[in-house]
Amino acid sequence: MDQMWPLEGQRVSIPDVLLDEDTGKSFTNCRMCHLDLQSPPVPYMVEKVIRHNKSLNLREELFGYAICLECAEEMKGQISKESMEVIQEFISKNVDLQKRMEAIFFQRDNHVEEVLSNCMLSGQSVEAAEEYQMAALCDGDKMIVGMWPYVIDSSVIGQLTELLSPETLGNMDDFYGQNFGLPPEWADLFKERPVFWI
Ligand SMILES: [Zn+2]
């Protein structure tokens, strides 16, 4: 688990865009098991999906949640071995890992701002995206900078989803339905959408 979730790395304040939109503060509980994430502080993932109205330059959060690492691991377990290989191949083809590692290593002051401005897979600015998702690894009220955070244009995720097995997509739908207690307006958003805990 430690390898999967590298907890070493610079800890910075969580950017506003990754805070709980309802409170303007760090997320307090795991969406699945309701574990308290803040007292004492524990590591967790944040995921958000943002709709971007380009003509009005408005951003609307479609949903955002935090999930403890144990639940994130369980979620990841819904992805079949074959689909995981497809995801890894897609990432290695599309992500400039060297550039990303250099950026992490040199830790320029604007590094976080930079990674939250461009799709990790297409390299395009999120300004050009109609919808995008963000993920971050946090610890209490801090964000750990490393492979996370990242932003992915939803249209690129669509390309990836097409490559995944029906088994994986079905498992993930069932998993969300059973564990997330999704409000109806979220259910469609989660449908056939892989969660990207790379
Ligand atoms: Zn949990």
Side-chain angles (χ1 to χ4, degrees), residues 4 31 60 68 80 103 132 148 154 160:
M4 189 96 77
R31 170 91 197 176
E60 178 198 4
C68 74
S80 71
Y132 54 91
W148 294 279
S154 296
L160 175 59

Side-chain angles (χ1 to χ4, degrees), residues 77-91:
Q78 308 305 309
I79 302 175
S80 71
K81 191 169 165 277
E82 292 74 24
S83 290
M84 190 55 89
E85 283 167 11
V86 169
I87 292 172
Q88 278 161 356
E89 197 190 322
F90 189 86
I91 288 163

Side-chain angles (χ1 to χ4, degrees), residues 26 36 55 73 84 105 109 125-126 134 136 144 161 165 180 182:
S26 316
D36 186 334
S55 52
E73 197 67 22
M84 190 55 89
F105 183 74
D109 289 346
S125 164
V126 291
M134 300 188 282
I144 303 172
T161 308
S165 69
F180 265 58
L182 292 177

Side-chain angles (χ1 to χ4, degrees), residues 177-192:
Q178 284 159 18
N179 293 292
F180 265 58
L182 292 177
E185 65 271 24
W186 280 25
D188 276 354
L189 289 169
F190 270 99
K191 219 166 170 41
E192 302 204 339

Side-chain angles (χ1 to χ4, degrees), residues 29-35 37 66-72:
N29 295 88
C30 171
R31 170 91 197 176
M32 269 176 66
C33 72
H34 309 292
L35 177 77
L37 303 172
I67 186 169
C68 74
L69 297 190
E70 212 163 299
C71 290

Side-chain angles (χ1 to χ4, degrees), residues 30-193:
C30 171
R31 170 91 197 176
M32 269 176 66
C33 72
H34 309 292
L35 177 77
D36 186 334
L37 303 172
Q38 300 297 336
S39 45
V42 293
Y44 59 96
M45 298 297 300
V46 169
E47 193 196 15
K48 288 197 179 198
V49 175
I50 308 292
R51 184 170 288 158
H52 179 210
N53 183 324
K54 288 192 276 183
S55 52
L56 297 174
N57 195 26
L58 285 177
R59 285 177 171 74
E60 178 198 4
E61 182 177 312
L62 296 180
F63 65 88
Y65 65 92
I67 186 169
C68 74
L69 297 190
E70 212 163 299
C71 290
E73 197 67 22
E74 208 182 315
M75 189 186 270
K76 206 169 174 173
Q78 308 305 309
I79 302 175
S80 71
K81 191 169 165 277
E82 292 74 24
S83 290
M84 190 55 89
E85 283 167 11
V86 169
I87 292 172
Q88 278 161 356
E89 197 190 322
F90 189 86
I91 288 163
S92 62
K93 260 194 217 154
N94 288 282
V95 180
D96 189 340
L97 282 174
Q98 194 183 342
K99 192 174 155 207
R100 217 174 149 78
M101 292 319 288
E102 275 173 20
I104 292 163
F105 183 74
F106 291 115
Q107 290 286 352
R108 292 186 300 277
D109 289 346
N110 61 349
H111 169 64
V112 168
E113 206 179 301
E114 250 173 55
V115 293
L116 289 177
S117 305
N118 299 296
C119 171
M120 174 172 75
L121 296 174
S122 70
Q124 298 286 311
S125 164
V126 291
E127 294 301 322
E130 283 172 11
E131 193 188 292
Y132 54 91
Q133 70 184 63
M134 300 188 282
L137 174 61
C138 297
D139 188 358
D141 63 353
K142 296 282 184 255
M143 179 173 80
I144 303 172
V145 181
M147 279 313 289
W148 294 279
Y150 61 72
V151 177
I152 299 178
D153 184 329
S154 296
S155 63
V156 181
I157 293 184
Q159 292 168 29
L160 175 59
T161 308
E162 284 170 21
L163 302 174
L164 298 182
S165 69
E167 180 201 349
T168 289
L169 295 172
N171 281 353
M172 296 192 89
D173 282 354
D174 291 348
F175 186 77
Y176 288 134
Q178 284 159 18
N179 293 292
F180 265 58
L182 292 177
E185 65 271 24
W186 280 25
D188 276 354
L189 289 169
F190 270 99
K191 219 166 170 41
E192 302 204 339
R193 201 181 57 82

